[in-house]
Structures are given as structure tokens and as C-alpha cells.
Amino acid sequence: IESTHLLLVGTISLSSQGFYVLESACLLNVNECWIPFDSLYEYLLLDSLHREDRRFTKGLRYNLPSDKPLASVVLQDTGEVSTALYVVPGDADDDYEPKAKELTDLSKMHSWFWHSTLAMPALPIRQLGEGESPPPRPVQHPSALGQPH
């Protein structure tokens, strides 16, 4: 994917003989903002959130198996209650979404699901906080709008 990076991260130790040893290593996909993503769909979600200037916390899987639900991101700009955004893989078991819903119910968060086999649904509505103004809209040149100069 253009404008992404592939990082090699690892654990290095110093042996008793004084040599550095790579104990473990992992490749990590990150977007242009250096935010890790697990799939093309998660990349597209992060791109949408970035373009809309949304506030969110990115969930990281670490040692959690890929079949266990994990919110891709938690939106912090949806009012009094945050919203957990889940990208449901195309090969997910039938119990994936109910398990994710149970997690959000326990945490008192709202939830949003994108089944990756379908088009991305509209993102939850952004609610401005006290003293916060909406992000500026990019100014387009009149020629980009099909209008003469």
C-alpha cells in the first residue's frame, strides 16, 4: 500500500560473551502517521478517521489471538460515551460479533461494526466538546469544482 511503512521490531539482549542477540522479531505494518494496522480494512478505517480529523485510541493486539475480538479503535469524540469500532474479518466465526458486543456492554461503550465483506458503514457522528470547533474544510480551487476561473 502506497505511503505505508513496514517496521522490523524486536527484542535484543547482550550475551555473556558481549555480543548482541536478536531474541525475537516481528514485522509491523504502519500507515503514514506511524499507526499500526492489521489488515487492508483497518488501514481504510484509519485513513477515514484521519481524513475526518477524528480523535481515537488505537487498540493493539500484542499476544491476543486473531480470532478474539479487539476494537480496532475507540473513538473519543462521540459525546459522553466512547465508541468501540470493530472490523469484522470476512472469515470470522458466527460468535465474533456477539463476543465483541459483550465486551462493549461490559465497558459501557457504544459499538460500531464493519463486516469487511461489505462496504464500510457511516462512521459514528462526531460530537464537539465544549470550546471545540469543527475541523477546517480544505479549500478547493474553483477549477477543481468544474467552475471557470
Side-chain angles (χ1 to χ4, degrees), residues 48-113:
S48 294
L49 294 171
H50 179 72
R51 280 187 281 111
E52 292 186 16
D53 199 29
R54 301 296 297 264
R55 287 185 297 124
F56 61 89
T57 302
K58 172 70 178 85
L60 298 176
R61 189 165 289 282
Y62 294 108
N63 292 328
L64 189 65
S66 60
D67 63 340
K68 298 291 183 194
L70 174 71
S72 294
V73 300
V74 175
L75 285 177
Q76 306 297 328
D77 60 2
T78 55
E80 295 291 322
V81 180
S82 298
T83 304
L85 277 56
Y86 291 88
V87 177
V88 181
D91 61 350
D93 294 336
D94 291 339
D95 60 345
Y96 185 95
E97 191 170 340
K99 285 180 182 177
K101 184 75 174 123
E102 182 180 334
L103 290 173
T104 56
D105 288 347
L106 289 171
S107 68
K108 308 289 190 241
M109 280 191 271
H110 295 296
S111 57
W112 173 95
F113 293 93

Side-chain angles (χ1 to χ4, degrees), residues 27-42:
L27 292 173
L28 186 65
N29 291 304
V30 296
N31 68 9
E32 60 275 7
C33 298
W34 300 93
I35 300 173
F37 62 93
D38 290 335
S39 68
L40 172 63
Y41 304 103
E42 192 170 80

